[in-house]
Amino acid sequence: MLNYIKAELYRNFNRLYFWGYTFGICIFILAINIIMKITSVGSNVSLTVLFQAATFMLGIPVFLIVAMVDMCIAEEEKHVTLKNVVSFGFERNKLVLSKIIVTIILSIISAVIILTVFFGSSIMLFPIGNKFSIDIVINFIMRLSGAMVLWIAAISICSFLAFVIKSNTMFSLMYVMIFLFFRKIILILSNLVSDKFKYIYDILITTNLDILAKGELTNSNLNFAILIGAIYIIVFTILTMIYVKNKEIK
């Protein structure tokens, strides 16, 4: 299993897809910072403001991980190359775990690079600000730690869809639709049909990411988000294993 993970990491590190996607986002972020710096907007921007902005954007990576799942799982499903791995006797449960682990590792590496570019360019381009303190950094790191568990949970869901739906476009569309609209549908149902739907609303990944991004940070909120994320990871990893174990891989 470890050798397969290493092989998958090597394969993706030597492809333009991963680096092009990661540095494409970095260039976009750097361009935004430069534009803010050379325009009137830059006069009101400080490192404190940018930490707050980064906190508000904790929900965005949920959509960015689609590409990571696509390059690790969906492409092989599309090109029907998983049969090569299975035919060599590699256990299907280990295959699922390996794919999810590789996706998580690539996502973390990409996130570290993107955050480094964001904060590195921000430090160079903008003043620290009078209100900046170490507490702002600690607050962001705590929110980020909870959000990362929820991002991994989203990877588990996305991986399940990638194995189930062979079409790259359809699995991506289904995933995005779920995370864009399911929360709103549940909220409407809780208001119009029954307030019991609020229980479902409270345990959604997007709801907890929104709380971490915009709500008051408490130990209760943070621990609940981590717990919910862990449950999603376990449930959808098991569901993926069950599906792949019984799936005919041609």
PDB file of all heavy atoms in Angstrom, residues 128-163:
ATOM      1  N   ILE A 128       1.641  45.848   8.142  1.00  0.00           N
ATOM      2  CA  ILE A 128       1.110  44.920   9.137  1.00  0.00           C
ATOM      3  C   ILE A 128      -0.188  45.434   9.730  1.00  0.00           C
ATOM      4  O   ILE A 128      -1.155  44.696   9.896  1.00  0.00           O
ATOM      5  CB  ILE A 128       2.149  44.668  10.252  1.00  0.00           C
ATOM      6  CG1 ILE A 128       3.354  43.925   9.680  1.00  0.00           C
ATOM      7  CG2 ILE A 128       1.528  43.863  11.395  1.00  0.00           C
ATOM      8  CD1 ILE A 128       4.457  43.684  10.678  1.00  0.00           C
ATOM      9  N   GLY A 129      -0.240  46.723  10.031  1.00  0.00           N
ATOM     10  CA  GLY A 129      -1.453  47.303  10.620  1.00  0.00           C
ATOM     11  C   GLY A 129      -1.351  47.397  12.129  1.00  0.00           C
ATOM     12  O   GLY A 129      -0.723  46.555  12.777  1.00  0.00           O
ATOM     13  N   ASN A 130      -1.959  48.416  12.696  1.00  0.00           N
ATOM     14  CA  ASN A 130      -1.863  48.663  14.134  1.00  0.00           C
ATOM     15  C   ASN A 130      -2.575  47.615  14.974  1.00  0.00           C
ATOM     16  O   ASN A 130      -2.211  47.352  16.114  1.00  0.00           O
ATOM     17  CB  ASN A 130      -2.446  50.051  14.474  1.00  0.00           C
ATOM     18  CG  ASN A 130      -1.659  51.172  13.802  1.00  0.00           C
ATOM     19  OD1 ASN A 130      -0.443  51.054  13.633  1.00  0.00           O
ATOM     20  ND2 ASN A 130      -2.331  52.243  13.429  1.00  0.00           N
ATOM     21  N   LYS A 131      -3.621  47.009  14.407  1.00  0.00           N
ATOM     22  CA  LYS A 131      -4.442  46.065  15.175  1.00  0.00           C
ATOM     23  C   LYS A 131      -3.947  44.625  15.082  1.00  0.00           C
ATOM     24  O   LYS A 131      -4.543  43.718  15.657  1.00  0.00           O
ATOM     25  CB  LYS A 131      -5.893  46.128  14.696  1.00  0.00           C
ATOM     26  CG  LYS A 131      -6.557  47.480  14.930  1.00  0.00           C
ATOM     27  CD  LYS A 131      -7.999  47.456  14.461  1.00  0.00           C
ATOM     28  CE  LYS A 131      -8.678  48.796  14.707  1.00  0.00           C
ATOM     29  NZ  LYS A 131     -10.098  48.785  14.245  1.00  0.00           N
ATOM     30  N   PHE A 132      -2.840  44.426  14.356  1.00  0.00           N
ATOM     31  CA  PHE A 132      -2.338  43.063  14.182  1.00  0.00           C
ATOM     32  C   PHE A 132      -1.726  42.543  15.470  1.00  0.00           C
ATOM     33  O   PHE A 132      -1.018  43.258  16.176  1.00  0.00           O
ATOM     34  CB  PHE A 132      -1.294  43.020  13.066  1.00  0.00           C
ATOM     35  CG  PHE A 132      -0.806  41.632  12.763  1.00  0.00           C
ATOM     36  CD1 PHE A 132      -1.562  40.771  11.990  1.00  0.00           C
ATOM     37  CD2 PHE A 132       0.403  41.183  13.270  1.00  0.00           C
ATOM     38  CE1 PHE A 132      -1.126  39.489  11.715  1.00  0.00           C
ATOM     39  CE2 PHE A 132       0.850  39.905  12.999  1.00  0.00           C
ATOM     40  CZ  PHE A 132       0.083  39.061  12.214  1.00  0.00           C
ATOM     41  N   SER A 133      -2.019  41.268  15.779  1.00  0.00           N
ATOM     42  CA  SER A 133      -1.441  40.643  16.966  1.00  0.00           C
ATOM     43  C   SER A 133      -1.311  39.148  16.729  1.00  0.00           C
ATOM     44  O   SER A 133      -1.898  38.599  15.789  1.00  0.00           O
ATOM     45  CB  SER A 133      -2.323  40.903  18.201  1.00  0.00           C
ATOM     46  OG  SER A 133      -3.574  40.244  18.053  1.00  0.00           O
ATOM     47  N   ILE A 134      -0.583  38.490  17.609  1.00  0.00           N
ATOM     48  CA  ILE A 134      -0.394  37.048  17.489  1.00  0.00           C
ATOM     49  C   ILE A 134      -1.712  36.306  17.676  1.00  0.00           C
ATOM     50  O   ILE A 134      -1.897  35.198  17.163  1.00  0.00           O
ATOM     51  CB  ILE A 134       0.660  36.560  18.519  1.00  0.00           C
ATOM     52  CG1 ILE A 134       1.066  35.103  18.224  1.00  0.00           C
ATOM     53  CG2 ILE A 134       0.125  36.708  19.925  1.00  0.00           C
ATOM     54  CD1 ILE A 134       1.762  34.906  16.913  1.00  0.00           C
ATOM     55  N   ASP A 135      -2.647  36.933  18.386  1.00  0.00           N
ATOM     56  CA  ASP A 135      -3.958  36.305  18.601  1.00  0.00           C
ATOM     57  C   ASP A 135      -4.707  36.121  17.284  1.00  0.00           C
ATOM     58  O   ASP A 135      -5.468  35.154  17.129  1.00  0.00           O
ATOM     59  CB  ASP A 135      -4.808  37.161  19.553  1.00  0.00           C
ATOM     60  CG  ASP A 135      -4.273  37.142  20.975  1.00  0.00           C
ATOM     61  OD1 ASP A 135      -3.582  36.172  21.318  1.00  0.00           O
ATOM     62  OD2 ASP A 135      -4.539  38.096  21.726  1.00  0.00           O
ATOM     63  N   ILE A 136      -4.504  37.031  16.343  1.00  0.00           N
ATOM     64  CA  ILE A 136      -5.154  36.926  15.033  1.00  0.00           C
ATOM     65  C   ILE A 136      -4.629  35.701  14.292  1.00  0.00           C
ATOM     66  O   ILE A 136      -5.394  34.955  13.668  1.00  0.00           O
ATOM     67  CB  ILE A 136      -4.914  38.208  14.211  1.00  0.00           C
ATOM     68  CG1 ILE A 136      -5.641  39.392  14.860  1.00  0.00           C
ATOM     69  CG2 ILE A 136      -5.371  38.029  12.764  1.00  0.00           C
ATOM     70  CD1 ILE A 136      -5.369  40.723  14.203  1.00  0.00           C
ATOM     71  N   VAL A 137      -3.332  35.476  14.388  1.00  0.00           N
ATOM     72  CA  VAL A 137      -2.714  34.316  13.741  1.00  0.00           C
ATOM     73  C   VAL A 137      -3.205  33.016  14.390  1.00  0.00           C
ATOM     74  O   VAL A 137      -3.567  32.058  13.699  1.00  0.00           O
ATOM     75  CB  VAL A 137      -1.179  34.400  13.825  1.00  0.00           C
ATOM     76  CG1 VAL A 137      -0.551  33.170  13.157  1.00  0.00           C
ATOM     77  CG2 VAL A 137      -0.675  35.680  13.176  1.00  0.00           C
ATOM     78  N   ILE A 138      -3.228  32.984  15.715  1.00  0.00           N
ATOM     79  CA  ILE A 138      -3.682  31.792  16.440  1.00  0.00           C
ATOM     80  C   ILE A 138      -5.140  31.491  16.114  1.00  0.00           C
ATOM     81  O   ILE A 138      -5.526  30.341  15.897  1.00  0.00           O
ATOM     82  CB  ILE A 138      -3.496  31.988  17.964  1.00  0.00           C
ATOM     83  CG1 ILE A 138      -2.007  32.071  18.308  1.00  0.00           C
ATOM     84  CG2 ILE A 138      -4.158  30.844  18.738  1.00  0.00           C
ATOM     85  CD1 ILE A 138      -1.720  32.422  19.752  1.00  0.00           C
ATOM     86  N   ASN A 139      -5.953  32.545  16.069  1.00  0.00           N
ATOM     87  CA  ASN A 139      -7.373  32.387  15.749  1.00  0.00           C
ATOM     88  C   ASN A 139      -7.549  31.782  14.363  1.00  0.00           C
ATOM     89  O   ASN A 139      -8.358  30.862  14.170  1.00  0.00           O
ATOM     90  CB  ASN A 139      -8.078  33.739  15.831  1.00  0.00           C
ATOM     91  CG  ASN A 139      -9.570  33.652  15.564  1.00  0.00           C
ATOM     92  OD1 ASN A 139     -10.009  33.662  14.414  1.00  0.00           O
ATOM     93  ND2 ASN A 139     -10.344  33.574  16.620  1.00  0.00           N
ATOM     94  N   PHE A 140      -6.752  32.264  13.396  1.00  0.00           N
ATOM     95  CA  PHE A 140      -6.836  31.745  12.031  1.00  0.00           C
ATOM     96  C   PHE A 140      -6.393  30.291  11.973  1.00  0.00           C
ATOM     97  O   PHE A 140      -7.030  29.462  11.307  1.00  0.00           O
ATOM     98  CB  PHE A 140      -5.979  32.584  11.092  1.00  0.00           C
ATOM     99  CG  PHE A 140      -5.904  32.045   9.690  1.00  0.00           C
ATOM    100  CD1 PHE A 140      -6.980  32.168   8.830  1.00  0.00           C
ATOM    101  CD2 PHE A 140      -4.765  31.392   9.242  1.00  0.00           C
ATOM    102  CE1 PHE A 140      -6.928  31.656   7.532  1.00  0.00           C
ATOM    103  CE2 PHE A 140      -4.700  30.882   7.956  1.00  0.00           C
ATOM    104  CZ  PHE A 140      -5.788  31.014   7.105  1.00  0.00           C
ATOM    105  N   ILE A 141      -5.309  29.965  12.670  1.00  0.00           N
ATOM    106  CA  ILE A 141      -4.799  28.586  12.658  1.00  0.00           C
ATOM    107  C   ILE A 141      -5.814  27.624  13.259  1.00  0.00           C
ATOM    108  O   ILE A 141      -6.015  26.509  12.758  1.00  0.00           O
ATOM    109  CB  ILE A 141      -3.460  28.506  13.412  1.00  0.00           C
ATOM    110  CG1 ILE A 141      -2.369  29.259  12.628  1.00  0.00           C
ATOM    111  CG2 ILE A 141      -3.032  27.050  13.630  1.00  0.00           C
ATOM    112  CD1 ILE A 141      -1.051  29.375  13.359  1.00  0.00           C
ATOM    113  N   MET A 142      -6.479  28.039  14.328  1.00  0.00           N
ATOM    114  CA  MET A 142      -7.492  27.181  14.954  1.00  0.00           C
ATOM    115  C   MET A 142      -8.667  26.945  14.014  1.00  0.00           C
ATOM    116  O   MET A 142      -9.161  25.833  13.874  1.00  0.00           O
ATOM    117  CB  MET A 142      -7.974  27.812  16.260  1.00  0.00           C
ATOM    118  CG  MET A 142      -6.936  27.812  17.375  1.00  0.00           C
ATOM    119  SD  MET A 142      -7.527  28.590  18.896  1.00  0.00           S
ATOM    120  CE  MET A 142      -8.824  27.438  19.387  1.00  0.00           C
ATOM    121  N   ARG A 143      -9.119  28.015  13.358  1.00  0.00           N
ATOM    122  CA  ARG A 143     -10.213  27.873  12.399  1.00  0.00           C
ATOM    123  C   ARG A 143      -9.774  27.001  11.218  1.00  0.00           C
ATOM    124  O   ARG A 143     -10.546  26.171  10.724  1.00  0.00           O
ATOM    125  CB  ARG A 143     -10.657  29.241  11.895  1.00  0.00           C
ATOM    126  CG  ARG A 143     -11.347  30.116  12.952  1.00  0.00           C
ATOM    127  CD  ARG A 143     -11.663  31.496  12.397  1.00  0.00           C
ATOM    128  NE  ARG A 143     -12.157  32.397  13.416  1.00  0.00           N
ATOM    129  CZ  ARG A 143     -13.445  32.592  13.703  1.00  0.00           C
ATOM    130  NH1 ARG A 143     -14.367  31.936  13.021  1.00  0.00           N
ATOM    131  NH2 ARG A 143     -13.807  33.433  14.646  1.00  0.00           N
ATOM    132  N   LEU A 144      -8.527  27.191  10.784  1.00  0.00           N
ATOM    133  CA  LEU A 144      -7.991  26.414   9.671  1.00  0.00           C
ATOM    134  C   LEU A 144      -7.909  24.929  10.020  1.00  0.00           C
ATOM    135  O   LEU A 144      -8.200  24.073   9.176  1.00  0.00           O
ATOM    136  CB  LEU A 144      -6.609  26.947   9.295  1.00  0.00           C
ATOM    137  CG  LEU A 144      -5.890  26.265   8.123  1.00  0.00           C
ATOM    138  CD1 LEU A 144      -6.665  26.481   6.832  1.00  0.00           C
ATOM    139  CD2 LEU A 144      -4.468  26.817   7.979  1.00  0.00           C
ATOM    140  N   SER A 145      -7.540  24.617  11.255  1.00  0.00           N
ATOM    141  CA  SER A 145      -7.429  23.213  11.669  1.00  0.00           C
ATOM    142  C   SER A 145      -8.783  22.512  11.594  1.00  0.00           C
ATOM    143  O   SER A 145      -8.870  21.362  11.153  1.00  0.00           O
ATOM    144  CB  SER A 145      -6.862  23.128  13.087  1.00  0.00           C
ATOM    145  OG  SER A 145      -7.750  23.720  14.026  1.00  0.00           O
ATOM    146  N   GLY A 146      -9.838  23.199  12.037  1.00  0.00           N
ATOM    147  CA  GLY A 146     -11.177  22.620  11.934  1.00  0.00           C
ATOM    148  C   GLY A 146     -11.635  22.496  10.498  1.00  0.00           C
ATOM    149  O   GLY A 146     -12.234  21.490  10.100  1.00  0.00           O
ATOM    150  N   ALA A 147     -11.320  23.532   9.699  1.00  0.00           N
ATOM    151  CA  ALA A 147     -11.717  23.531   8.294  1.00  0.00           C
ATOM    152  C   ALA A 147     -11.021  22.412   7.529  1.00  0.00           C
ATOM    153  O   ALA A 147     -11.623  21.792   6.638  1.00  0.00           O
ATOM    154  CB  ALA A 147     -11.391  24.881   7.662  1.00  0.00           C
ATOM    155  N   MET A 148      -9.781  22.106   7.877  1.00  0.00           N
ATOM    156  CA  MET A 148      -9.044  21.055   7.166  1.00  0.00           C
ATOM    157  C   MET A 148      -9.706  19.694   7.325  1.00  0.00           C
ATOM    158  O   MET A 148      -9.745  18.902   6.380  1.00  0.00           O
ATOM    159  CB  MET A 148      -7.590  21.003   7.660  1.00  0.00           C
ATOM    160  CG  MET A 148      -6.722  22.138   7.146  1.00  0.00           C
ATOM    161  SD  MET A 148      -4.981  21.978   7.622  1.00  0.00           S
ATOM    162  CE  MET A 148      -4.524  20.517   6.696  1.00  0.00           C
ATOM    163  N   VAL A 149     -10.232  19.418   8.522  1.00  0.00           N
ATOM    164  CA  VAL A 149     -10.939  18.152   8.728  1.00  0.00           C
ATOM    165  C   VAL A 149     -12.187  18.099   7.848  1.00  0.00           C
ATOM    166  O   VAL A 149     -12.496  17.068   7.247  1.00  0.00           O
ATOM    167  CB  VAL A 149     -11.332  17.983  10.213  1.00  0.00           C
ATOM    168  CG1 VAL A 149     -12.082  16.676  10.419  1.00  0.00           C
ATOM    169  CG2 VAL A 149     -10.096  18.029  11.106  1.00  0.00           C
ATOM    170  N   LEU A 150     -12.882  19.227   7.742  1.00  0.00           N
ATOM    171  CA  LEU A 150     -14.072  19.288   6.888  1.00  0.00           C
ATOM    172  C   LEU A 150     -13.702  19.204   5.409  1.00  0.00           C
ATOM    173  O   LEU A 150     -14.445  18.617   4.616  1.00  0.00           O
ATOM    174  CB  LEU A 150     -14.838  20.590   7.163  1.00  0.00           C
ATOM    175  CG  LEU A 150     -15.455  20.702   8.567  1.00  0.00           C
ATOM    176  CD1 LEU A 150     -15.987  22.108   8.802  1.00  0.00           C
ATOM    177  CD2 LEU A 150     -16.568  19.678   8.757  1.00  0.00           C
ATOM    178  N   TRP A 151     -12.555  19.758   5.029  1.00  0.00           N
ATOM    179  CA  TRP A 151     -12.095  19.628   3.632  1.00  0.00           C
ATOM    180  C   TRP A 151     -11.802  18.169   3.308  1.00  0.00           C
ATOM    181  O   TRP A 151     -12.121  17.696   2.216  1.00  0.00           O
ATOM    182  CB  TRP A 151     -10.829  20.462   3.418  1.00  0.00           C
ATOM    183  CG  TRP A 151     -11.014  21.942   3.564  1.00  0.00           C
ATOM    184  CD1 TRP A 151     -12.205  22.640   3.560  1.00  0.00           C
ATOM    185  CD2 TRP A 151      -9.987  22.905   3.765  1.00  0.00           C
ATOM    186  NE1 TRP A 151     -11.968  23.981   3.738  1.00  0.00           N
ATOM    187  CE2 TRP A 151     -10.627  24.177   3.872  1.00  0.00           C
ATOM    188  CE3 TRP A 151      -8.606  22.847   3.878  1.00  0.00           C
ATOM    189  CZ2 TRP A 151      -9.909  25.355   4.066  1.00  0.00           C
ATOM    190  CZ3 TRP A 151      -7.893  24.023   4.077  1.00  0.00           C
ATOM    191  CH2 TRP A 151      -8.536  25.259   4.169  1.00  0.00           C
ATOM    192  N   ILE A 152     -11.161  17.463   4.250  1.00  0.00           N
ATOM    193  CA  ILE A 152     -10.876  16.038   4.036  1.00  0.00           C
ATOM    194  C   ILE A 152     -12.179  15.255   3.932  1.00  0.00           C
ATOM    195  O   ILE A 152     -12.302  14.310   3.137  1.00  0.00           O
ATOM    196  CB  ILE A 152      -9.988  15.490   5.171  1.00  0.00           C
ATOM    197  CG1 ILE A 152      -8.605  16.151   5.113  1.00  0.00           C
ATOM    198  CG2 ILE A 152      -9.844  13.978   5.065  1.00  0.00           C
ATOM    199  CD1 ILE A 152      -7.712  15.815   6.291  1.00  0.00           C
ATOM    200  N   ALA A 153     -13.177  15.660   4.732  1.00  0.00           N
ATOM    201  CA  ALA A 153     -14.500  15.040   4.637  1.00  0.00           C
ATOM    202  C   ALA A 153     -15.084  15.245   3.246  1.00  0.00           C
ATOM    203  O   ALA A 153     -15.681  14.336   2.652  1.00  0.00           O
ATOM    204  CB  ALA A 153     -15.431  15.625   5.693  1.00  0.00           C
ATOM    205  N   ALA A 154     -14.904  16.451   2.705  1.00  0.00           N
ATOM    206  CA  ALA A 154     -15.378  16.746   1.350  1.00  0.00           C
ATOM    207  C   ALA A 154     -14.641  15.896   0.315  1.00  0.00           C
ATOM    208  O   ALA A 154     -15.232  15.443  -0.674  1.00  0.00           O
ATOM    209  CB  ALA A 154     -15.193  18.234   1.037  1.00  0.00           C
ATOM    210  N   ILE A 155     -13.347  15.649   0.546  1.00  0.00           N
ATOM    211  CA  ILE A 155     -12.572  14.776  -0.340  1.00  0.00           C
ATOM    212  C   ILE A 155     -13.152  13.368  -0.328  1.00  0.00           C
ATOM    213  O   ILE A 155     -13.252  12.710  -1.372  1.00  0.00           O
ATOM    214  CB  ILE A 155     -11.087  14.758   0.084  1.00  0.00           C
ATOM    215  CG1 ILE A 155     -10.421  16.083  -0.261  1.00  0.00           C
ATOM    216  CG2 ILE A 155     -10.341  13.601  -0.584  1.00  0.00           C
ATOM    217  CD1 ILE A 155      -8.990  16.213   0.243  1.00  0.00           C
ATOM    218  N   SER A 156     -13.554  12.895   0.843  1.00  0.00           N
ATOM    219  CA  SER A 156     -14.137  11.558   0.959  1.00  0.00           C
ATOM    220  C   SER A 156     -15.435  11.449   0.161  1.00  0.00           C
ATOM    221  O   SER A 156     -15.674  10.454  -0.527  1.00  0.00           O
ATOM    222  CB  SER A 156     -14.403  11.226   2.435  1.00  0.00           C
ATOM    223  OG  SER A 156     -13.211  11.265   3.177  1.00  0.00           O
ATOM    224  N   ILE A 157     -16.270  12.490   0.259  1.00  0.00           N
ATOM    225  CA  ILE A 157     -17.523  12.510  -0.501  1.00  0.00           C
ATOM    226  C   ILE A 157     -17.242  12.580  -1.992  1.00  0.00           C
ATOM    227  O   ILE A 157     -17.845  11.852  -2.793  1.00  0.00           O
ATOM    228  CB  ILE A 157     -18.395  13.702  -0.066  1.00  0.00           C
ATOM    229  CG1 ILE A 157     -18.818  13.551   1.401  1.00  0.00           C
ATOM    230  CG2 ILE A 157     -19.631  13.829  -0.962  1.00  0.00           C
ATOM    231  CD1 ILE A 157     -19.526  14.763   1.966  1.00  0.00           C
ATOM    232  N   CYS A 158     -16.324  13.445  -2.362  1.00  0.00           N
ATOM    233  CA  CYS A 158     -15.981  13.624  -3.776  1.00  0.00           C
ATOM    234  C   CYS A 158     -15.377  12.344  -4.358  1.00  0.00           C
ATOM    235  O   CYS A 158     -15.659  11.963  -5.500  1.00  0.00           O
ATOM    236  CB  CYS A 158     -15.006  14.794  -3.915  1.00  0.00           C
ATOM    237  SG  CYS A 158     -14.820  15.406  -5.594  1.00  0.00           S
ATOM    238  N   SER A 159     -14.563  11.653  -3.559  1.00  0.00           N
ATOM    239  CA  SER A 159     -13.952  10.391  -4.007  1.00  0.00           C
ATOM    240  C   SER A 159     -15.020   9.332  -4.247  1.00  0.00           C
ATOM    241  O   SER A 159     -14.953   8.572  -5.224  1.00  0.00           O
ATOM    242  CB  SER A 159     -12.947   9.893  -2.963  1.00  0.00           C
ATOM    243  OG  SER A 159     -11.907  10.823  -2.784  1.00  0.00           O
ATOM    244  N   PHE A 160     -16.004   9.284  -3.355  1.00  0.00           N
ATOM    245  CA  PHE A 160     -17.114   8.342  -3.514  1.00  0.00           C
ATOM    246  C   PHE A 160     -17.839   8.587  -4.834  1.00  0.00           C
ATOM    247  O   PHE A 160     -18.102   7.658  -5.600  1.00  0.00           O
ATOM    248  CB  PHE A 160     -18.079   8.486  -2.343  1.00  0.00           C
ATOM    249  CG  PHE A 160     -19.338   7.667  -2.487  1.00  0.00           C
ATOM    250  CD1 PHE A 160     -19.319   6.292  -2.329  1.00  0.00           C
ATOM    251  CD2 PHE A 160     -20.544   8.278  -2.801  1.00  0.00           C
ATOM    252  CE1 PHE A 160     -20.481   5.532  -2.472  1.00  0.00           C
ATOM    253  CE2 PHE A 160     -21.706   7.542  -2.941  1.00  0.00           C
ATOM    254  CZ  PHE A 160     -21.678   6.165  -2.781  1.00  0.00           C
ATOM    255  N   LEU A 161     -18.117   9.854  -5.121  1.00  0.00           N
ATOM    256  CA  LEU A 161     -18.807  10.201  -6.370  1.00  0.00           C
ATOM    257  C   LEU A 161     -17.945   9.873  -7.587  1.00  0.00           C
ATOM    258  O   LEU A 161     -18.458   9.441  -8.622  1.00  0.00           O
ATOM    259  CB  LEU A 161     -19.170  11.687  -6.372  1.00  0.00           C
ATOM    260  CG  LEU A 161     -20.235  12.130  -5.358  1.00  0.00           C
ATOM    261  CD1 LEU A 161     -20.382  13.662  -5.381  1.00  0.00           C
ATOM    262  CD2 LEU A 161     -21.571  11.472  -5.653  1.00  0.00           C
ATOM    263  N   ALA A 162     -16.639  10.078  -7.458  1.00  0.00           N
ATOM    264  CA  ALA A 162     -15.734   9.807  -8.579  1.00  0.00           C
ATOM    265  C   ALA A 162     -15.699   8.316  -8.924  1.00  0.00           C
ATOM    266  O   ALA A 162     -15.569   7.947 -10.092  1.00  0.00           O
ATOM    267  CB  ALA A 162     -14.328  10.303  -8.248  1.00  0.00           C
ATOM    268  N   PHE A 163     -15.796   7.466  -7.896  1.00  0.00           N
ATOM    269  CA  PHE A 163     -15.822   6.020  -8.144  1.00  0.00           C
ATOM    270  C   PHE A 163     -17.171   5.576  -8.697  1.00  0.00           C
ATOM    271  O   PHE A 163     -17.246   4.676  -9.530  1.00  0.00           O
ATOM    272  CB  PHE A 163     -15.520   5.254  -6.851  1.00  0.00           C
ATOM    273  CG  PHE A 163     -14.063   5.070  -6.571  1.00  0.00           C
ATOM    274  CD1 PHE A 163     -13.459   5.724  -5.510  1.00  0.00           C
ATOM    275  CD2 PHE A 163     -13.287   4.241  -7.364  1.00  0.00           C
ATOM    276  CE1 PHE A 163     -12.103   5.555  -5.237  1.00  0.00           C
ATOM    277  CE2 PHE A 163     -11.930   4.053  -7.115  1.00  0.00           C
ATOM    278  CZ  PHE A 163     -11.338   4.715  -6.041  1.00  0.00           C
TER     279      PHE A 163
END
